[in-house]
Amino acid sequence: MVLIVIILILAAIAIGLLVYNLRLHKKLQKYNNMQQKITNLYVVQDFINAIGETSTVEEKIKKINDVLIERYEIKYSTIVVFDGAEYQIKASNVEPKHWDSLKRLHEVDMFKDSIETATPKYVTVNSESERLPYQQMEFGRAKSAIFFPLYIDNVYVGYWIIESGTPHDFDNVDTTVLEVIKENIVSVLKTVVHQQTLESIVRKDLFTGLYSEEYLYGEGKKIIDQYTISTICMFKIINIQQINRDYSRELGNKVITQISNFIRENLASEYVFVRYMGPKFVIAFSGVETNSVADFLNDMKDKVESMQIKLTEDEIQNLNLEVNSRKKLGKELAKDIAVPRLNIVISSYYKGTGLEEVLKKLEEYLDNANISESDITNI
């Protein structure tokens, strides 16, 4: 009887321990899942920070790759992008001597199928003496890898591959987490496509030698966003059309170049100055609040509107005029004197907000202002 009681007690203890262990396991699993979710949130936040930083597209992609390696303790991570003509390694912590093989993975049969079906491909070896099928001259670097084709709106744009120096290292990896990471990479690539387009079309204006509007959203923003707050100024030569009409377009062009040269020579190097569009220009006073630019703008406006701009004899001689009309027209052009007038509007810009929205607001103000308005307005 005593023995039965002892057995029952032991059985109860065993059942209790089993229940306790199951509950503990669930709690640990819940904790691990929570930790993974927290890690994922951190990664997403780091990705957002990388996108919001003032670096170029190339630097942003490298930054998110560094985030992946650090947060998930990945041995090797490489992001390869297809630009429509060739494959380019945009980010990798693998030695450059291996890059040639890494950017030709689309030619490997096992990865061709992965690209066609848009599904990941896991490859590994069973012993240290073996090498992965896509490795040509490297034996000891990677022993297991997962290949992820990347698509933006069903358009293939490249791939992401993670590698480990240990065989079967990814056997028990949470593929759901990796898929989330992959989608985050795609989101980042999708986000920077627009910036990359802008960076590729940046040009210099023919007459002024200033960068065009697109510069503001790439390298220009990189300079501006070194500071928390800046002042964005847009000004318009409001009588340029009248000068072109009443005198000549050549004199109008000289007005534009002389004003832009004067301002450029008097701006600090950390300020960004571009020809925005037509008679409109933008000055970004990096790290300066609006109340601190008033004196400079007042002085600039006074000096510009004191200019009396005319074509020189050499400039008139270089005009493409017919021989018979050159002398007569040249005398008339020599008498023409243009006095420019400016309308100026400024606004604050805060790092991390939409620079394009600020510029749109300033442009709308100038376009809708009375044609006779010549002032400095803070909006």
Side-chain angles (χ1 to χ4, degrees):
M1 184 69 180
V2 175
L3 183 61
I4 294 174
V5 172
I6 292 173
I7 291 172
L8 290 173
I9 292 172
L10 290 174
I13 292 172
I15 293 171
L17 288 173
L18 181 63
V19 172
Y20 174 78
N21 286 333
L22 287 172
R23 288 180 177 175
L24 182 62
H25 176 72
K26 288 181 179 179
K27 286 182 179 179
L28 287 173
Q29 198 170 36
K30 185 177 180 180
Y31 173 78
N32 289 333
N33 290 338
M34 184 64 70
Q35 286 294 102
Q36 188 62 65
K37 288 179 180 179
I38 292 172
T39 300
N40 291 342
L41 287 174
Y42 279 135
V43 171
V44 171
Q45 183 61 52
D46 287 342
F47 279 8
I48 293 172
N49 291 339
I51 296 172
E53 287 177 351
T54 57
S55 54
T56 63
V57 169
E58 304 291 332
E59 290 170 335
K60 286 179 180 179
I61 298 176
K62 289 176 183 176
K63 180 69 179 290
I64 66 170
N65 199 52
D66 291 341
V67 170
L68 296 175
I69 293 166
E70 179 183 351
R71 289 291 187 186
Y72 292 104
E73 299 180 352
I74 296 171
K75 180 67 174 177
Y76 301 111
S77 177
T78 301
I79 299 173
V80 181
V81 174
F82 179 60
D83 64 5
E86 61 180 351
Y87 285 80
Q88 298 180 351
I89 291 185
K90 293 297 184 180
S92 180
N93 65 328
V94 178
E95 291 183 48
K97 65 182 180 181
H98 301 307
W99 286 9
D100 186 60
S101 62
L102 285 172
K103 66 181 180 181
R104 298 172 67 90
L105 297 183
H106 60 283
E107 299 175 356
V108 180
D109 288 339
M110 68 174 67
F111 297 140
K112 284 182 182 179
D113 181 64
S114 176
I115 293 170
E116 290 174 1
T117 58
T119 55
K121 179 68 176 180
Y122 176 35
V123 292
T124 187
V125 297
N126 294 315
S127 67
E128 293 289 344
S129 61
E130 297 180 77
R131 66 178 179 182
L132 296 173
Y134 63 87
Q135 294 179 311
Q136 297 174 357
M137 300 181 65
E138 43 183 326
F139 290 90
R141 185 180 64 82
K143 300 298 178 183
S144 53
I146 307 181
F147 176 94
F148 296 90
L150 303 176
Y151 284 80
I152 295 179
D153 298 331
N154 296 320
V155 177
Y156 171 68
V157 295
Y159 51 84
W160 170 47
I161 183 169
I162 59 173
E163 300 170 291
S164 169
T166 304
H168 295 279
D169 200 27
F170 298 123
D171 285 4
N172 299 314
V173 73
D174 187 347
T175 55
T176 305
V177 172
L178 291 178
E179 281 293 328
V180 171
I181 299 172
K182 185 200 74 173
E183 291 306 316
N184 284 328
I185 292 173
V186 170
S187 297
V188 171
L189 292 176
K190 189 174 182 179
T191 302
V192 300
V193 161
H194 178 60
Q195 181 184 341
Q196 195 166 30
T197 302
L198 288 174
E199 289 177 359
S200 65
I201 63 175
V202 168
R203 64 195 185 283
K204 283 193 174 182
D205 177 60
L206 178 63
F207 296 108
T208 63
L210 298 174
Y211 283 113
S212 60
E213 170 195 355
E214 292 79 13
Y215 180 81
L216 288 170
Y217 306 112
E219 286 299 312
K221 196 168 185 293
K222 183 176 181 180
I223 298 170
I224 301 167
D225 279 356
Q226 291 177 11
Y227 306 90
T228 303
I229 184 172
S230 298
T231 295
I232 306 299
C233 164
M234 183 179 291
F235 69 87
K236 181 180 181 180
I237 307 172
I238 56 176
N239 61 336
I240 194 68
Q241 291 181 341
Q242 179 187 353
I243 293 170
N244 289 339
R245 182 181 64 248
D246 295 348
Y247 301 121
S248 67
R249 182 167 292 276
E250 287 77 17
L251 182 55
N253 290 339
K254 186 170 183 179
V255 168
I256 289 173
T257 57
Q258 197 155 320
I259 291 174
S260 60
N261 288 338
F262 169 76
I263 294 174
R264 179 167 47 196
E265 290 168 1
N266 288 277
L267 275 181
S269 59
E270 64 268 25
Y271 301 154
V272 179
F273 182 35
V274 302
R275 186 174 184 182
Y276 187 75
M277 188 179 297
K280 293 190 284 283
F281 295 77
V282 169
I283 305 172
F285 294 95
S286 312
V288 180
E289 297 190 23
T290 53
N291 57 358
S292 300
V293 303
D295 290 341
F296 175 85
L297 291 178
N298 277 310
D299 183 60
M300 179 192 82
K301 189 173 188 297
D302 288 342
K303 289 181 177 177
V304 167
E305 294 183 343
S306 297
M307 292 178 176
Q308 294 187 351
I309 303 170
K310 59 184 293 186
L311 296 175
T312 66
E313 290 185 8
D314 288 342
E315 288 170 337
I316 294 172
Q317 289 297 318
N318 290 330
L319 295 178
N320 187 21
L321 304 174
E322 292 184 10
V323 176
N324 294 333
S325 62
R326 183 178 297 159
K327 183 177 288 188
K328 180 180 178 181
L329 188 56
K331 288 180 179 180
E332 294 176 0
L333 290 173
K335 297 177 183 178
D336 294 338
I337 298 175
V339 179
R341 293 175 61 242
L342 304 181
N343 197 15
I344 302 173
V345 61
I346 62 174
S347 183
S348 297
Y349 164 73
Y350 297 90
K351 177 181 178 180
T353 60
L355 178 59
E356 64 280 1
E357 293 301 320
V358 175
L359 293 167
K360 182 180 178 182
K361 179 176 66 173
L362 298 178
E363 185 177 24
E364 285 178 351
Y365 179 88
L366 289 177
D367 287 345
N368 295 321
N370 190 294
I371 193 170
S372 62
E373 180 181 321
S374 177
D375 208 345
I376 299 176
T377 306
N378 188 349
I379 61 173

